[in-house]
């Protein structure tokens, strides 16, 4: 199970939270918007009721925001739920996963008995996915992050369409709202499935909320296979309000554009390898495994948590992933790294 550990592990052995400055989870550092806080306060007593099993309000908000027909929507208890749902409904015999990538792709595939084959991308090529080489492989399905976690790579729409000529393609766009780019949702087909988290952008990972889009008949099968109350009452209320908060999304993108550049430039002054970021996290590589272990130990002593990438397929102990947070928090990490390195 250690292979499938994630960031955000801020709890001690008794389950009590430790006061870490957490760079291990890629959550919007702008935090909860005022609209979300007000919605939680207004609806808290509503948890005595079952959630709306049709999630009518949330589906309407998603349809308006992303121009999606409700018949194509699958609502999720976080984006990760979709990989298990997809694998257990469609039962692909073999799944191809370009790595390094989010470990739940592999875990979901194995939970359904699928054979997993990795397509290893190379650090020397900034982990670029070679679509032509993938097309030479045999598989029923390919699962790809866009942007990819932890590398930040962005596969193009043209490349996705090319892959869909041969494979069923599941595109994980959990971080897409951080960027002003076109979504693969706009190219939905019987071979293309798109899943998106709402917990990263709106800083609500504790509520668990996401959605996926699929061709109508496939969406019906996926919806039939999931728990009817998989999205809780508060998550439905918060999601419906958050999706209409254009100011919050605009502020997030303005913050990221400036802070991504600043943080990457300052990190590049240190004796580490920086991989170009696209969204709110940066993959780095230290010179040795021993130095990386020493760095992690010293950061933890300073109550700073970063993501050890040793359990990502295709990476090793030298690699760390750093969330991009506020300027003050980023400077605290930079100061600590300068002292340690």
């Amino acid at each position: 199970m250690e292979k499938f550990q994630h960031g955000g592990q801020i709890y001690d052995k008794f389950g009590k939270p430790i006061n870490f400055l957490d760079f291990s989870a890629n959550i919007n550092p702008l935090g909860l918007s005022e609209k979300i806080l007000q919605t939680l306060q207004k609806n808290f007593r509503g948890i005595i009721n079952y959630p709306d099993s049709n999630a009518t309000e949330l589906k309407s908000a998603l349809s308006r925001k992303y121009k999606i027909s409700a018949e194509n929507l699958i609502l999720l208890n976080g984006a990760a739920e979709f990989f298990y749902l997809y694998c257990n409904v469609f039962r692909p015999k073999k799944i191809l996963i370009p790595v390094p990538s989010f470990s739940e792709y592999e875990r979901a595939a194995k939970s359904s008995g699928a054979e997993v084959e990795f397509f290893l991308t190379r650090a020397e090529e900034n982990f670029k996915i070679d679509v032509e080489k993938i097309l030479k492989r045999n598989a029923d399905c390919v699962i790809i992050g866009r942007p990819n976690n932890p590398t930040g790579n962005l596969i193009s729409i043209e490349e996705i369409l090319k892959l869909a000529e041969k494979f069923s393609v599941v595109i994980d766009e959990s971080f897409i709202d951080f960027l002003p780019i076109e979504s693969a949702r706009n190219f939905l087909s019987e071979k293309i499935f798109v899943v998106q988290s709402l917990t990263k952008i709106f800083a609500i990972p504790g509520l668990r909320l996401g959605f996926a889009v699929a061709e109508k008949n496939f969406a019906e099968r996926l919806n039939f296979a999931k728990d009817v109350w998989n999205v809780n009452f508060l998550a439905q209320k918060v999601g419906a309000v958050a999706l209409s908060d254009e100011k919050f999304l605009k502020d997030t993108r303005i913050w990221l554009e400036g802070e991504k550049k600043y943080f990457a430039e300052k990190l590049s002054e240190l004796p580490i390898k920086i991989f170009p970021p696209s969204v709110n996290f940066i993959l780095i590589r230290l010179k040795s495994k021993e130095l990386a272990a020493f760095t992690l130990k010293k950061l933890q002593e300073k109550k700073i948590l970063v993501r050890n990438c040793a359990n990502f397929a295709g990476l090793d102990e030298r690699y760390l992933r750093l969330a991009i947070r506020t300027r003050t928090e980023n400077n605290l990490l930079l100061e600590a790294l300068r002292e340690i390195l």
Side-chain angles (χ1 to χ4, degrees):
M1 293 299 293
E2 288 183 6
K3 181 179 183 180
F4 301 108
Q5 292 296 313
H6 299 289
Q9 300 300 315
I10 62 168
Y11 304 97
D12 65 18
K13 63 180 180 180
F14 303 106
K16 304 293 185 183
I18 302 171
N19 188 28
F20 278 112
L21 180 53
D22 187 10
F23 286 85
S24 72
N26 306 319
I27 306 303
N28 190 338
L30 300 190
L32 295 174
S33 71
E34 281 303 312
K35 286 188 176 182
I36 288 178
L37 284 170
Q38 290 168 10
T39 301
L40 286 168
Q41 292 165 354
K42 179 181 176 182
N43 290 282
F44 183 72
R45 292 184 181 275
I47 62 173
I48 64 171
N49 303 310
Y50 278 98
D52 174 9
S53 59
N54 294 316
T56 307
E57 188 180 10
L58 179 56
K59 283 182 179 177
S60 295
L62 286 165
S63 294
R64 286 193 302 272
K65 171 66 179 172
Y66 297 115
K67 308 297 187 291
I68 306 165
S69 172
E71 66 187 13
N72 298 116
L73 279 169
I74 305 102
L75 301 187
L76 304 166
N77 184 254
E81 182 184 18
F82 182 75
F83 309 116
Y84 294 87
L85 195 59
Y86 173 88
C87 290
N88 283 283
V89 168
F90 297 111
R91 295 282 169 173
K93 291 188 174 73
K94 186 174 183 180
I95 296 178
L96 184 63
I97 306 173
V99 291
S101 63
F102 186 44
S103 63
E104 293 301 313
Y105 307 158
E106 177 190 0
R107 186 173 173 180
K110 289 183 174 178
S111 78
S112 68
E115 177 187 352
V116 174
E117 182 176 321
F118 291 141
F119 178 88
L120 189 63
T121 60
R122 296 164 52 84
E124 296 76 15
E125 298 170 352
N126 283 328
F127 302 104
K128 178 178 172 56
I129 293 175
D130 191 324
V131 169
E132 294 302 325
K133 288 184 178 177
I134 289 180
L135 287 168
K136 294 177 182 177
R137 301 284 188 91
N138 290 314
D140 301 300
C141 169
V142 179
I143 305 179
I144 297 175
R146 181 181 186 261
N148 184 52
N149 173 20
T151 64
N153 292 82
L154 269 166
I155 189 170
S156 70
I157 295 294
E158 292 73 21
E159 290 172 313
I160 292 170
L161 294 175
K162 201 165 188 178
L163 288 172
E165 292 175 7
K166 180 174 182 179
F167 311 104
S168 287
V169 185
V170 175
I171 302 297
D172 179 3
E173 291 192 335
S174 286
F175 296 93
I176 197 77
D177 274 343
F178 285 95
L179 298 173
I181 63 172
E182 186 172 28
S183 168
R185 288 187 305 270
N186 300 332
F187 300 86
L188 198 62
S189 74
E190 290 187 353
K191 301 293 284 292
I192 295 175
F193 300 77
V194 184
V195 59
Q196 182 174 330
S197 168
L198 295 175
T199 62
K200 276 83 171 173
I201 190 73
F202 293 118
I204 51 171
L207 273 183
R208 312 303 304 135
L209 184 60
F211 70 97
V213 291
E215 182 274 333
K216 177 186 174 183
N217 292 326
F218 290 158
E220 285 181 0
R221 289 177 63 186
L222 290 159
N223 277 315
F224 186 75
K226 70 178 180 63
D227 173 9
V228 67
W229 295 299
N230 67 326
V231 178
N232 71 67
F233 176 84
L234 289 176
Q236 289 188 31
K237 292 294 184 182
V238 164
V241 169
L243 287 162
S244 66
D245 196 344
E246 292 297 333
K247 182 181 183 302
F248 183 80
L249 292 170
K250 181 180 179 182
D251 289 346
T252 293
R253 289 174 180 170
I254 291 171
W255 154 77
L256 181 59
E257 184 178 359
E259 203 57 30
K260 179 171 63 176
K261 181 180 179 183
Y262 171 82
F263 198 31
E265 285 178 353
K266 293 300 181 182
L267 284 169
S268 67
E269 297 171 2
L270 300 172
I272 53 180
K273 165 70 177 173
I274 307 293
F275 295 93
S278 63
V279 279
N280 61 326
F281 54 85
I282 300 180
L283 183 67
I284 68 172
R285 185 179 68 206
L286 278 70
K287 290 184 177 179
S288 69
K289 296 177 182 180
E290 292 76 17
L291 180 58
F294 175 77
T295 301
L296 285 167
K297 179 175 179 292
K298 290 299 181 182
L299 286 174
Q300 285 204 349
E301 289 174 1
K302 296 175 181 290
K303 291 291 188 291
I304 297 174
L305 197 61
V306 301
R307 179 67 158 91
N308 177 358
C309 293
N311 68 337
F312 279 97
L315 299 182
D316 58 36
E317 290 87 348
R318 295 173 297 163
Y319 291 85
L320 306 176
R321 190 193 68 199
L322 315 176
I324 302 174
R325 298 186 59 86
T326 64
R327 178 65 56 90
T328 300
E329 291 168 327
N330 292 337
N331 281 335
L332 287 171
L333 176 58
L334 288 164
E335 182 182 346
L337 287 172
R338 287 190 197 102
E339 179 184 324
I340 293 164
L341 297 172

